[in-house]
Each structure stands twice: as C-alpha cells, then as structure tokens.
Amino acid sequence: MSRTLRGHGATDAPGAPPQERASRVRPPAGWKMPSRKRLGFAALTTIITSLIAMPAASWALYPPDNGYTGADAGKVPTDLLGLVNELNYVWLILGAALVFFMQVGFLGLELGFSRGKNVGSGVAKIIVNIAVAAVVWWAVGYSFAFGADGGKILGSGDFFYSLTFDGEGVPDASGWPFFFFQFTFAAVSLAIVWGSTLERIKFIAYPIFAFVFIAIIYPPVAHATWSGVGIFGGDNGLTIGDAAGALDFAGSGVVHLCGATAALAATLVLGPRRGKYGPDGKPRAIPGHSMPIFGIGVLVLWLGWFGFNGVSTLNTDGGVFGHVIAVTNLSAAAGVIGAGLAMWLKTKTFDVGMLGNGAIAGLVAITAPAGYVAMWAAPIIGFIGGLIVVFGVLFIDRIGIDDPVGATSAHGLAGIWGTLAVGLFLDPKLQAYNALGGDPSGGLFTGGGVDQLAVQAVVVIVTFLWVFATSFAVFWLIKKTVGLRVSEEEEIAGLDISEHGMYGYPEQFIPEAELVGYSPAPIKTGA
C-alpha cells in the first residue's frame, strides 16, 4: 500500500525511512476560487438540509417506541412477516403501474395503424375506456370476479369495494393492491377489443360495451380460472384424469383470448372498412400513417409485459418473478424471429407491422405458461406464436374479416396457442410450486400425458363460446338501437372531425386559408 501512495520522484535522505507523500494535484486552467458569498450560501444550504434530513433519517431507521412514525401514520411492522407483506403490496402496485402503462402501448399500436384522419378518436377512446372500466370494476366487476362470497360461476359480496377497519379502528387496506392490479388486467382485455374496429365505429359504442364487458363478460372468465373456487382453476376445478384444474399464469386465455374474441364479434357485426376489399373481393392494404408510433407502442407493451407476467407471481418469494420475466422476454424475442422468418419466406421482405405483431404474439403466447415452463420452452412457444400471427393475419384478411391491427390473430390465435402450450410444456417441479392445481406429472412433452392439454382445450372452447355469444349480442343490440357504424360520408371524412369535431393533425386537413392567424406571421424582408 505504501508503494502505491509514495510520490513518484521523491528523494529520501541516506538511511532515513522512505517518506510517504501524495501526488500534487493541480487545478484545471481557468479555475477560480468561489467568492465568499457563494461559499457561505453553499454552507448555509448544507446546514439547513442536514437539519431537515437527519431527523427524517432517524425516524426512518429507528421508529418511536409507540410504533408510529407520526400521529396519524400507519403502524410500522415490527415482525418479519409484516415486512414481507408490505414488500408484496409494493410489488403489486409496481406491477399494476407497468400494466396500466400498457395502455400507452395499445394507443401507439392503434394510432400507428390508423390513417391520420382518425388518430384523435383513438386518443379519446383509450381515455374513456379506462375511465369507464375503473368505475365499473370498483362497483361490480371486482366482486363478480374475486368477491369473497363467490361460488363456482361468480364471485359476490364485494360490490363497491371499500376500506375495512378492525375492532380498534385501524384500517385494513391489504386487499387494495390486488384489487388495483386486477383492474389493470381487465382494462387490458377491454383495450384488445377495439383494435379490430378502427376507423368506422361510432364513439358511443365504446362506453356502452365497456360497461357490459367489465361488469358481465370478463368477470366470469377471470373468476373461473383465477379465483381458486371457480369452475376451471384450483384443486376443485375442472378435472380430467390427473389434471385437477386449468392453469393460466397471467392470462393468455383469461385476458387475451377474451378480448380478442370480443374483437372478432365486433368486426363481424361492423363489417370491413370502405375500400378494404376490391370489386374482385380480394383484400387491399390500407397503410397506417406512422410506423414509428406503432414501433413505440410495441416496445411499451414489451416493457409493460414484465409487470403483466412477472408480477403475476403476486409476491417476491424466492425471486421466481425473475425467471418469469426472463421467460417472457425470450418468448417475445423468438416471436419476432418467427414472424420475420415467415414474412421473408412468403414475401422476401421484413414487414414492420408483422415484426411488431410477432413480438406481441410471442408475449401473448407465453403469458399462460410463464410461471409453469422451463427456460428452454420459451423460445419454442414464442417462435410458434410468431408464425401463427403471420399466417393468421393473412388468413383472416382473406376470408373477409377486416382487422386493422391483427388483434384477432396476435391476441386470439396466439392466446389459444399459449393456453394449450401449458398442456404441452408444463414443468412438474413448477407445477408443484403453484397453488391452482394442474397435472403433477407435467405436460405432454415433459413426462405427463394429455390430461392437462385436454383441460386447457376445454377452457379455450368454453371461454370462446361465452365471450363470443355475449359480445355478438351486445354489439348487435347497439347496432339496432343507437347505431354501431358511422355513415359512409363520416367514414370518408374521418372519425376525428365527424365524431369529435376536430383533427388530430389539423395542419394536414384544415385548408391553409382557415389556419390564418394560427400560424406564425411571415417574416418581412427588406428590398
């Protein structure tokens, strides 16, 4: 150590011990000593900050003997279990925030695939749907999905979900993180519905269907698999052979297939956009106005999915969420590769939209198996998801179903594949770790038989039939009452001006003469 500190080039007197001295540091050129006024101000600021921070640090590190950090603050847990629970609550809220942020991703996808005359309507739709979903979920949706007094079909007992207090008047808010986390999932399922309806649906249809979807259509699906007492999930759920209970870790079926099935029903009742199919009946491309916005949307969704799947562990126990997030990321990457390869083999091009949808399909496909499969299975599941979305989009387009963003393929077909993939790749060791049943011997390719695959297939069929029948009926009723589709003239003009009385991109659509006074005055130049 002394050799390191000794100044190079120092001389020592004969026989004297070596002198340790630091190297001289010279100030940079142009540096000046700060004035006394500035030094005094800096010192005063430091002292004031310290006086404020030190008591706060003391309170944080050493809670008072009475167990409270203030007169009205919550009690600081003194037992390890209490601290673990507090950490899990924060974990759920963090995950909920990431899943909520996925709405920005859906907005980017839909705006990117829309023409410029319809982008403002997409913004309004996202905002209104979140608002309606939040109120309805609080009032009835959560109770039907996860109510404490529920049975096999529906939950009950938690309508207008509210804070509870114990006998001493201390509030118990332990259920609220889960309540909000599950709200964001319901909102994602609703968001999936609307990608297929772009550029021709009346705005009034959004809040009407949102109310029914969050109150009636989605809750039974979530309750059946995730409540632990429903007809599908849990040890007392659907049983075939050794498989006792369906498994859907974060919602390939519950969230994505549910939303995509409603999207299919909406598309069938609406019909295709004007000009989508030529006189010969062949589909024609209607390009979206911005692939950069679409790309941003895909990346936002990819990020949000780490909360969607990773935080569906519902706790931080053992760091399992890290494995779930890694599996999720690997499947998304494989989805991009699968979709890109499929498009190149078919068209010799790398279509930007298909690459993005490949990522989405890989993410959707891994959502059900994320907590139940080993790492090696993730790229297989994602790659197949990428192939499915490409051929699914092309097939659905060809049979006359106009789905501008490919939701029925990326969320529907990939959701089916993901739900079934659990029955193929279920890891027996991870099955033993979960609390919602399943086949202890694993999936078809991991040492088990077809039992879990059969259970998963039944869930897919029942979910599709329930959601399609109810959604089709609701959209048909909307069509026959307030109307579902805008007129041909309104569709040509664009939903921004016809439904909202404004443009998302006014400079592109308002005549220049009408913009006089809104643009900078011309600069006068001398002769």
Side-chain angles (χ1 to χ4, degrees):
M1 183 174 180
S2 61
R3 291 178 182 176
T4 304
L5 293 175
R6 183 180 295 126
H8 296 290
T11 57
D12 299 324
Q19 301 293 318
E20 294 184 358
R21 55 186 232 182
S23 301
R24 180 176 297 174
V25 179
R26 297 182 180 274
W31 182 85
K32 295 181 179 180
M33 175 71 73
S35 65
R36 291 184 176 180
K37 183 182 292 186
R38 290 185 177 181
L39 288 173
F41 178 76
L44 180 62
T45 303
T46 303
I47 293 171
I48 294 174
T49 303
S50 300
L51 290 174
I52 296 174
M54 283 192 296
S58 175
W59 295 335
L61 294 173
Y62 305 103
D65 294 337
N66 63 8
Y68 290 84
T69 57
D72 300 316
K75 189 172 184 179
V76 177
T78 55
D79 61 290
L80 183 59
L81 179 60
L83 290 172
V84 169
N85 285 336
E86 294 292 341
L87 176 61
N88 290 335
Y89 299 153
V90 173
W91 179 240
L92 282 174
I93 293 299
L94 174 63
L98 283 171
V99 178
F100 189 94
F101 190 59
M102 290 173 71
Q103 296 291 334
V104 177
F106 285 112
L107 178 61
L109 256 68
E110 294 177 10
L111 295 193
F113 275 134
S114 296
R115 287 168 285 184
K117 61 184 179 180
N118 297 307
V119 295
S121 183
V123 175
K125 180 266 296 181
I126 286 285
I127 295 172
V128 168
N129 272 271
I130 292 174
V132 173
V135 174
V136 177
W137 184 253
W138 162 71
V140 296
Y142 179 77
S143 182
F144 283 147
F146 299 102
D149 299 331
K152 284 282 188 179
I153 305 300
L154 284 176
S156 182
D158 285 313
F159 298 108
F160 299 96
Y161 195 63
S162 59
L163 192 66
T164 58
F165 297 83
D166 64 17
E168 298 178 356
V170 177
D172 177 12
S174 58
W176 285 94
F178 182 77
F179 166 87
F180 185 65
F181 185 64
Q182 288 298 338
F183 155 68
T184 60
F185 276 61
V188 164
S189 190
L190 177 62
I192 294 168
V193 178
W194 304 120
S196 66
T197 67
L198 295 181
E199 303 194 313
R200 74 264 201 208
I201 190 171
K202 282 187 174 182
F203 193 82
I204 188 62
Y206 292 135
I208 295 174
F209 185 78
F211 179 91
V212 179
F213 185 83
I214 298 297
I216 297 174
I217 298 175
Y218 175 81
V221 179
H223 181 82
T225 301
W226 285 345
S227 68
V229 297
I231 59 173
F232 293 152
D235 293 334
N236 296 319
L238 177 62
T239 301
I240 297 178
D242 293 331
L247 296 174
D248 188 346
F249 187 75
S252 291
V254 173
V255 176
H256 297 279
L257 176 58
C258 182
T261 302
L264 176 63
T267 305
L268 292 176
V269 178
L270 263 178
R273 289 168 291 174
R274 182 180 178 275
K276 173 62 181 177
Y277 294 93
D280 58 357
K282 293 183 178 180
R284 300 189 294 191
I286 301 179
H289 88 287
S290 177
M291 284 298 99
I293 293 178
F294 164 78
I296 292 172
V298 171
L299 292 175
V300 168
L301 287 173
W302 196 327
L303 171 65
W305 235 285
F306 298 148
F308 199 96
N309 286 3
V311 184
S312 287
T313 57
L314 303 183
N315 59 60
T316 60
D317 184 24
V320 176
F321 64 85
H323 179 264
V324 172
I325 291 173
V327 164
T328 299
N329 190 56
L330 193 58
S331 182
V336 175
I337 295 171
L341 179 62
M343 282 304 294
W344 187 84
L345 292 174
K346 190 167 183 64
T347 67
K348 302 304 180 186
T349 63
F350 293 104
D351 183 272
V352 176
M354 285 298 190
L355 289 173
N357 267 331
I360 301 302
L363 290 163
V364 170
I366 200 63
T367 298
Y372 307 127
V373 299
M375 200 72 179
W376 63 265
I380 299 173
I381 294 169
F383 185 83
I384 293 175
L387 298 178
I388 287 173
V389 74
V390 170
F391 294 106
V393 166
L394 297 176
F395 173 75
I396 288 173
D397 223 21
R398 195 177 304 121
I399 63 176
I401 298 174
D402 181 15
D403 182 356
V405 303
T408 49
S409 298
H411 296 275
L413 297 181
I416 292 172
W417 160 239
T419 306
L420 296 177
V422 177
L424 300 176
F425 300 102
L426 174 63
D427 188 314
K429 293 181 180 178
L430 289 173
Q431 183 280 333
Y433 191 77
N434 91 89
L436 290 175
D439 189 342
S441 60
L444 182 62
F445 298 155
T446 52
V450 298
D451 294 347
Q452 191 66 51
L453 182 61
V455 169
Q456 302 297 115
V458 171
V459 171
V460 166
I461 294 170
V462 174
T463 299
F464 178 83
L465 292 176
W466 161 253
V467 177
F468 183 81
T470 51
S471 298
F472 191 92
V474 173
F475 283 120
W476 185 85
L477 288 172
I478 294 174
K479 180 179 180 179
K480 294 299 181 181
T481 52
V482 298
L484 184 64
R485 182 168 181 152
V486 298
S487 67
E488 184 174 340
E489 293 77 12
E490 291 170 330
E491 185 177 349
I492 293 172
L495 301 186
D496 285 5
I497 193 65
S498 63
E499 289 282 285
H500 305 279
M502 49 78 69
Y503 287 108
Y505 296 131
E507 294 87 353
Q508 293 184 11
F509 297 99
I510 298 177
E512 186 175 352
E514 296 182 23
L515 287 173
V516 173
Y518 292 92
S519 58
I523 299 175
K524 295 182 180 180
T525 58

